[in-house]
Amino acid sequence: MTTNIVRSVCPYDCPDTCGLLVEVEGGRAVKVTGDPDHPYTRGFLCPKMNRYERTVHSPRRLTTPLLRTGEKGSGTFRPATWDEAVAIIARRFREIIGRHGAEAILPYSYAGTMGLVQRNSGHPFFHRLGASRLDRTICSPAKDAGWQAVMGTTPAVHPDSVAQSDLVILWGINAAATSIHFLHGVREAKKRGAVIWLIDTYATPTAAVTDRTFLVRPGSDGPLALGIMHLLAGRGLVDREFIHRHVQGYDELAREILPACTPRWTSEHTGLPEAVIGEMALAFGTARAPFIRLGSGLSRYGNGAMTVRTITCLPALTGAWQKAGGGLFGGTSTGPAFALGEVVLREDFMAQPTRIVNMNRLGHALNELSDPPVMGLYVYHSNPAAVTPDQNAVLKGLSREDLFTVVHERFLTDTAKYADVVLPATSSLEQSDIYRAYGTYCIQRARPAIPAVGESKSNWDTFRLLAEAMEFEEPFFCQSADDLIDRLLAVHTPLRAGIDEAALAAGRAVELAMPPWDGTVYGTPSGRIEILNPALPEPLPRHLPVHGEDDGLPLRLMTAPSLYALNASFYERDELRERQEGMQLMMNPADAAARGIGNGDRVLAANRQGEVEFVLKITDRIPAGTVVAEGVWWLEFTPGSRSVNALTSQRLTDAGGGSTFYDNRVEVRRVG
Ligand SMILES: Nc1nc2c(c(=O)[nH]1)N[C@H]1C(S)=C(S)[C@@H](COP(=O)(O)OP(=O)(O)OC[C@H]3O[C@@H](n4cnc5c(=O)[nH]c(N)nc54)[C@H](O)[C@@H]3O)O[C@H]1N2
Ligand SMILES: Nc1nc2c(c(=O)[nH]1)N[C@H]1C(S)=C(S)[C@@H](COP(=O)(O)OP(=O)(O)OC[C@H]3O[C@@H](n4cnc5c(=O)[nH]c(N)nc54)[C@H](O)[C@@H]3O)O[C@H]1N2
Ligand code: SF4
Ligand SMILES: [Mo]
């Protein structure tokens, strides 16, 4: 049999957006490896994607539409044709619109695929329908808000510039799991003599690649940054010249906020010894070009936006922005590379602005919204029954007999089990798309490498069918995904100027050329780095409390990413689940001893949101007072009847309407 090698792109929600080489035999993907020609990811894939063909051709793939025959949640369905399924959806949507208005229909999608066309396929359809809009804030809007408060629209530096740093701080990022290619530049820096730090709440796998690991109390990084700034100011380690030229509000910060942020105060908040805080300030203040790689974990708290804002002020004090290899990097700014709004999102299809529902509050929306209530839910490339906070509220809402639910998926997920109609989705290898990355400056176009598995259809092709069934007459809905990609490429943007169009058309990754960065131009209203931002209700950074402090329970709960999964994706793979060794709760030996529980015990973690059963793993990688659950498991593989998000809440961040997945407290006891 002949083997073809087709270029493709990793579609998952990961900053790296790796280039793939897919070996195809007889219409099947037989092997997926990294593309050595990719300028950033250079042929190396993570453990999840190394055997992507096992996901694509998993025996668990959905191959036909399904109609519910049993109770919601039971997963009992009968196969149906696409014609039958689409006709039912159109009829039920019309009934709901007739009785309650179109805002009674809510789309729910997130990041099953990051391709610009397939990811956003539903927007034009639901805008045209007049449905409620979803505020897609589950991931890191508080991180964005914190950065923007200080830096405005200033573009991010190139991630590879880290190689020129002499002090690299991985701050709230488990890069070994969530950003592995960034570590390439970190290793380069280390070879040239840089010191590498990790600041996290427990010793993640990333601790193995760093020189120092500092463990802080969850949600206390704001105080840590303030404490470091207090010492920088007091010891004269600030760059007065840089501040004078490029910073707004340093004097106000130094006068009004920093005096109270003494080492003792910082130590009380963070749990770090005063001497260690002193060491950190001295090392930061005397480094030539300190580089902070900021993760998203610390932004998912009631004070998350303020935490990011406070940390973002640090490089301004020492002028690190003007040193090659210095500054702070939270992700690349590749959004403006494509005219997505004009070509794909099509807000102009809305007859008038419709209701906006925060996706983190799906439980509230399904159970408590009125005027109109949510009567129709259309879920695509997301698994809210698993990934959304307050799982008990979400499952209660999904169980409503009067709710009509459609789920478009590759697998019969926890959410799909509650659907009235399940539609089978293609995987990324079966659909066209164009990708941009949020951890690199690469863009890449992908065409189908293999035919659709079974009768599955892409997001875009499904919305085209639905548009036809709803008798939408706009010619827009007659285009193919490739037409849309061509149109995206036809609209020229400054960021894409000068790229190698032929390579892009041939399916290779090409890198956007960033304008040279010299640390003198800032995209804020004042043109300066805004430590003082007069447009905000809190003009200066200061310490804000987290939500979990109100809960009155002893243990802080981290719900962190796993090396062998991506949110609730990849649980179809037996070998990856085995590498996670089951759904564990990790705990410090002292906390376990105090509760009389042992390694391997079945334990119950509980708070006012719910109760979740785990297998206990005792390890001194976790500091006393904190417990950690990695991975967002599918219910069929959990020790009990719930997964980790039955312990997280619908409370939002201080800005951006973000999720607060890490801001929880629990008590833990043996089951039974
Ligand atoms: N393998 C794998 N890769 C992934 C994902 C995955 O689930 N698994 N998820 C993908 C997605 S959707 C995203 S958004 C990115 C996220 O990737 P990151 O930007 O790395 O953010 P998180 O993974 O949310 O959190 C990273 C770390 O923050 C730590 N943390 C939590 N609270 C605090 C705190 O208060 N202070 C400090 N200093 N640290 C804290 C956690 O312990 C965790 O180690 O990764 C993507 N890549
Ligand atoms: N406890 C806890 N919960 C979390 C997090 C955490 O750290 N802790 N992280 C949060 C974060 S940062 C995020 S971004 C969210 C992510 O939330 P989601 O984006 O919902 O994440 P996934 O679990 O990856 O689910 C995506 C689903 O899309 C399906 N899919 C893939 N490709 C396609 C396609 O082309 N078409 C269709 N129709 N379906 C497709 C996959 O089979 C998969 O089931 O989870 C959040 N949930
Ligand atoms: S999940 Fe991330 S690291 Fe893994 S292959 Fe995809 S883009 Fe690369
Ligand atoms: Mo995310």
Side-chain angles (χ1 to χ4, degrees):
M1 204 180 295
T2 52
T3 307
N4 287 326
I5 298 191
V6 184
R7 283 206 156 79
S8 192
V9 186
C10 176
Y12 286 96
D13 187 353
C14 168
D16 296 353
T17 317
C18 288
L20 309 178
L21 294 180
V22 186
E23 287 181 31
V24 179
E25 281 177 15
R28 284 176 69 89
V30 294
K31 193 171 179 198
V32 176
T33 51
D35 180 355
D37 294 338
H38 190 286
Y40 189 77
T41 60
R42 304 177 183 98
F44 174 69
L45 299 184
C46 66
K48 312 180 291 292
M49 281 302 279
N50 244 324
R51 308 307 301 264
Y52 185 40
E53 69 279 1
R54 293 188 181 169
T55 291
V56 171
H57 296 293
S58 162
R60 288 175 173 266
R61 276 291 295 274
L62 296 168
T63 53
T64 67
L66 301 172
L67 302 180
R68 181 166 70 88
T69 53
E71 283 202 1
K72 289 199 173 194
S74 67
T76 0
F77 297 96
R78 73 165 171 84
T81 64
W82 272 92
D83 283 348
E84 190 183 7
V86 167
I88 290 172
I89 297 169
R91 176 172 57 77
R92 294 293 303 267
F93 275 8
R94 285 199 178 93
E95 279 169 14
I96 291 168
I97 294 168
R99 227 174 273 164
H100 303 275
E103 283 183 330
I105 297 171
L106 178 69
Y108 199 96
S109 71
Y110 200 64
T113 173
M114 294 290 281
L116 294 178
V117 169
Q118 303 298 349
R119 180 179 193 188
N120 297 297
S121 295
H123 286 65
F125 175 82
F126 288 110
H127 289 334
R128 172 67 180 76
L129 196 67
S132 287
R133 280 174 289 168
L134 188 73
D135 203 6
R136 290 174 171 80
T137 49
I138 203 165
C139 186
S140 50
K143 183 179 176 185
D144 297 342
W147 163 269
Q148 280 157 17
V150 184
M151 303 297 285
T153 58
T154 309
V157 296
H158 195 289
D160 276 346
S161 66
V162 67
Q164 299 169 62
S165 169
D166 60 338
L167 173 64
V168 180
I169 306 176
L170 301 171
W171 200 329
I173 186 163
N174 182 3
T178 64
S179 210
I180 52 172
H181 295 88
F182 181 77
L183 290 180
H184 177 78
V186 175
R187 280 190 206 97
E188 286 293 304
K190 193 165 176 165
K191 265 190 233 156
R192 298 179 194 178
V195 173
I196 319 296
W197 289 358
L198 173 67
I199 305 177
D200 205 302
T201 50
Y202 71 105
T204 64
T206 303
V209 304
T210 55
D211 299 306
R212 296 280 309 261
T213 295
F214 302 96
L215 300 186
V216 296
R217 288 199 191 114
S220 70
D221 305 81
L224 177 57
L226 290 170
I228 292 175
M229 289 193 268
H230 169 100
L231 291 171
L232 293 176
R235 295 177 183 176
L237 291 172
V238 296
D239 182 339
R240 279 273 162 204
E241 171 68 17
F242 179 83
I243 290 171
H244 174 70
R245 283 176 192 269
H246 299 299
V247 180
Q248 166 172 295
Y250 169 73
D251 289 336
E252 289 85 341
L253 182 81
R255 198 172 53 234
E256 293 169 32
I257 305 290
L258 295 185
C261 306
T262 59
R264 172 177 293 187
W265 176 87
T266 309
S267 173
E268 280 163 8
H269 281 283
T270 59
L272 292 171
E274 285 181 46
V276 169
I277 297 160
E279 252 182 86
M280 292 174 91
L282 187 64
F284 187 85
T286 54
R288 181 186 46 79
F291 186 108
I292 298 172
R293 172 65 172 102
L294 194 63
S296 313
L298 45 71
S299 76
R300 298 188 186 119
Y301 288 85
N303 62 5
M306 185 60 99
T307 297
V308 172
R309 181 178 168 194
T310 310
I311 295 171
T312 305
C313 293
L314 268 172
L317 264 62
T318 62
W321 290 109
Q322 282 186 335
K323 321 274 172 57
L328 179 146
F329 178 84
T332 52
S333 2
T334 54
F338 295 99
L340 197 65
E342 174 187 334
V343 178
V344 182
L345 303 180
R346 297 306 300 259
E347 289 200 348
D348 55 307
F349 283 170
M350 259 186 300
Q352 70 246 346
T354 52
R355 172 169 77 180
I356 297 177
V357 174
N358 185 309
M359 69 189 299
N360 299 307
R361 302 200 15 98
L362 179 66
H364 173 267
L366 294 181
N367 295 304
E368 283 157 63
L369 263 192
S370 52
D371 256 359
V374 176
M375 302 303 294
L377 178 71
Y378 186 105
V379 180
Y380 58 114
H381 79 121
S382 183
N383 186 2
V387 302
T388 307
D390 198 356
Q391 183 177 50
N392 283 316
V394 173
L395 294 183
K396 180 175 170 219
L398 289 175
S399 307
R400 270 174 47 201
E401 265 309 316
D402 63 342
L403 176 72
F404 174 65
T405 303
V406 181
V407 177
H408 186 202
E409 246 301 340
R410 302 177 309 171
F411 299 107
L412 198 63
T413 57
D414 293 342
T415 312
K417 287 182 178 160
Y418 284 83
D420 295 282
V421 181
V422 180
L423 301 172
T426 40
S427 76
S428 63
L429 295 191
E430 301 146 54
Q431 62 204 20
S432 291
D433 221 325
I434 184 145
Y435 296 83
R436 67 175 177 85
Y438 65 96
T440 90
Y441 282 100
C442 294
I443 61 172
Q444 191 171 358
R445 180 172 188 165
R447 293 192 172 77
I450 54 168
V453 167
E455 294 171 22
S456 60
K457 288 189 191 297
S458 71
N459 292 350
W460 175 252
D461 287 340
T462 303
F463 283 112
R464 278 177 64 182
L465 280 182
L466 292 173
E468 194 186 321
M470 295 306 291
E471 296 171 0
F472 294 171
E473 277 159 7
E474 289 79 358
F476 175 86
F477 292 106
C478 300
Q479 301 175 93
S480 67
D482 277 301
D483 293 338
L484 281 172
I485 297 165
D486 290 341
R487 291 204 49 219
L488 277 173
L489 291 173
V491 181
H492 292 285
T493 60
L495 251 189
R496 293 211 321 279
I499 59 159
D500 185 343
E501 304 276 357
L504 189 67
R508 289 172 185 273
V510 302
E511 199 162 9
L512 303 167
M514 290 301 296
W517 164 257
D518 64 0
T520 58
V521 182
Y522 296 93
T524 54
S526 63
R528 293 161 170 266
I529 298 174
E530 296 194 341
I531 290 180
L532 175 88
N533 184 329
L536 293 177
E538 296 270 2
L540 284 172
R542 67 177 182 95
H543 170 53
L544 297 180
V546 296
H547 292 311
E549 282 174 10
D550 308 336
D551 292 350
L553 292 169
L555 297 165
R556 301 176 178 89
L557 168 70
M558 304 274 91
T559 66
S562 160
L563 264 171
Y564 304 111
L566 192 138
N567 302 317
S569 285
F570 293 105
Y571 283 88
E572 71 281 359
R573 297 260 293 279
D574 301 343
E575 84 281 15
L576 291 176
R577 283 198 319 275
E578 276 160 25
R579 289 178 83 170
Q580 284 199 59
E581 298 170 13
M583 190 171 111
Q584 298 178 331
L585 187 72
M586 297 192 280
M587 185 184 266
N588 181 276
D591 286 328
R595 288 165 179 79
I597 47 183
N599 212 26
D601 281 358
R602 291 268 185 119
V603 294
L604 201 66
N607 61 19
R608 71 168 97 144
Q609 267 27 266
E611 294 188 340
V612 179
E613 217 175 302
F614 293 91
V615 176
L616 188 71
K617 178 169 181 161
I618 300 179
T619 161
D620 54 17
R621 287 170 49 210
I622 315 294
T626 295
V627 287
V628 179
E630 291 182 345
V632 184
W633 284 71
W634 290 2
L635 290 177
E636 65 177 287
F637 303 120
T638 56
S641 63
R642 290 291 182 265
S643 52
V644 66
N645 279 320
L647 297 168
T648 58
S649 82
Q650 299 184 51
R651 296 179 294 208
L652 301 176
T653 50
D654 48 334
S659 58
T660 57
F661 284 114
Y662 295 87
D663 195 350
N664 320 285
R665 282 177 175 255
V666 291
E667 181 49 292
V668 177
R669 60 180 159 83
R670 195 195 309 270
V671 171

